[in-house]
Amino acid sequence: MSTNGHLLEAEGIAKYYGNVVALKDISTHVNAGEVTCILGDNGAGKSSFIKILSGVHQADKGRLLVDGEAVQFNSPRDARAKGIATVYQDLAMVPLMSVWRNFFLGAEPRKGFGPIRWLDAATAKRICRKELQEMGIDIRDPDQPVGTLSGGERQSVATARAVYFGARVLILDEPTSALGVKQAGVVLKYILQARDRGVAVIFITHNPHHAYPVGDRFVILNRGRSVGTFDKSEIDLEELVRQMAGGRELAELQHELATLRADAS
């Protein structure tokens, strides 16, 4: 185990695509039972960063540590073997399949002996319902097609699935971006449920109003570089918004708008 208690650490991560600097000198850490929010607008480097954390891409510089030990992820399978699971925006679900089939999706429980084994649907449905209920998710019927669920409910099923299959670090890629206010609130509630079960959650978002209520730590990216890392006690929502907007750039924009209004009047 890591002597400093950090479950996952990124140190000096850099990623280049030819002459394009996608990431430069990004460092942060995540702890069990905490929510770390990675914030930034489009093009800030969020996607490149989570692809490195999840094993899709490899960093050109820097290193990753799990439980204090340096690791190298050559594929998402390597990351999953260390308990790092990623839920992408597309959710990797089959809309016409039932909730319980999507919950297991290739890892269904089976019964029988030796070569004679068959799907244990009753056990699968029971486990699915139990795990969803423990996350605070009340699915009316595990046999209903997952496509009949709301966007927030589908996100919650994907989250519960990752936790059930052993995720120690759960990376959520913009889970609220395509949702309305009510459904976004549903997802935020399940993020807290996962945190309270001891999972380290990495919440990727461009929306500080979604991040602030659930976040314990905030990492702000801008054009591939870190603007700063803040614990919740160190920053309020207004300052988080200001930092994301670029501080000086926001002040210059406000000055330009004020000038335009003055000229128009």
Side-chain angles (χ1 to χ4, degrees), residues 4-243:
N4 56 21
H6 301 322
L7 204 167
L8 173 66
E9 298 171 78
E11 294 184 349
I13 296 295
K15 183 66 180 177
Y16 310 104
Y17 298 101
N19 294 325
V20 177
V21 180
L23 295 169
K24 185 173 182 180
D25 197 26
I26 305 298
S27 298
T28 191
H29 63 268
V30 299
N31 298 325
E34 290 186 358
V35 179
T36 298
C37 299
I38 310 294
L39 296 122
D41 285 328
N42 292 335
K46 304 189 304 296
S47 294
S48 295
F49 188 50
I50 66 166
K51 285 176 179 175
I52 289 170
L53 296 181
S54 59
V56 175
H57 293 162
Q58 287 73 52
D60 294 314
K61 289 184 180 179
R63 64 175 186 163
L64 298 176
L65 300 94
V66 176
D67 293 327
E69 296 183 1
V71 296
Q72 181 169 339
F73 298 147
N74 295 313
S75 69
R77 185 185 299 271
D78 292 343
R80 288 195 298 269
K82 288 291 186 180
I84 299 170
T86 304
V87 176
Y88 292 102
Q89 285 174 286
D90 61 14
L91 299 178
M93 287 188 173
V94 183
L96 295 179
M97 273 190 176
S98 66
V99 172
W100 70 268
R101 289 302 296 261
N102 272 279
F103 186 89
F104 286 96
L105 208 58
E108 294 87 350
R110 297 187 175 273
K111 57 185 177 182
F113 300 95
I116 305 175
R117 297 175 62 80
W118 59 93
L119 175 64
D120 188 350
T123 297
K125 293 176 187 180
R126 176 177 53 79
I127 291 173
C128 174
R129 187 185 293 275
K130 174 177 176 291
E131 290 299 315
L132 292 175
Q133 285 178 342
E134 288 189 1
M135 288 286 290
I137 306 162
D138 184 20
I139 297 296
R140 295 172 293 280
D141 179 6
D143 279 312
Q144 70 186 98
V146 80
T148 64
L149 301 180
S150 68
E153 288 171 329
R154 288 197 296 272
Q155 282 281 352
S156 66
V157 171
T159 299
R161 179 175 67 187
V163 173
Y164 173 73
F165 282 104
R168 302 171 64 210
V169 178
L170 179 62
I171 302 173
L172 300 174
D173 177 24
E174 296 275 7
T176 61
S177 64
L179 302 180
V181 174
K182 184 176 180 180
Q183 290 301 317
V186 169
V187 173
L188 297 179
K189 182 177 76 170
Y190 299 140
I191 288 174
L192 295 179
Q193 291 275 8
R195 179 202 68 184
D196 292 345
R197 292 182 67 172
V199 177
V201 180
I202 299 176
F203 177 22
I204 315 297
T205 183
H206 64 270
N207 191 327
H209 297 279
H210 290 171
Y212 196 78
V214 300
D216 297 294
R217 184 178 303 101
F218 307 95
V219 180
I220 304 172
L221 302 183
N222 186 5
R223 299 175 186 173
R225 290 166 172 80
S226 175
V227 175
T229 298
F230 306 91
D231 289 337
K232 194 163 194 169
S233 60
E234 299 173 326
I235 194 167
D236 59 19
L237 176 58
E238 182 179 356
E239 178 63 14
L240 185 65
V241 172
R242 194 186 75 83
Q243 290 285 349

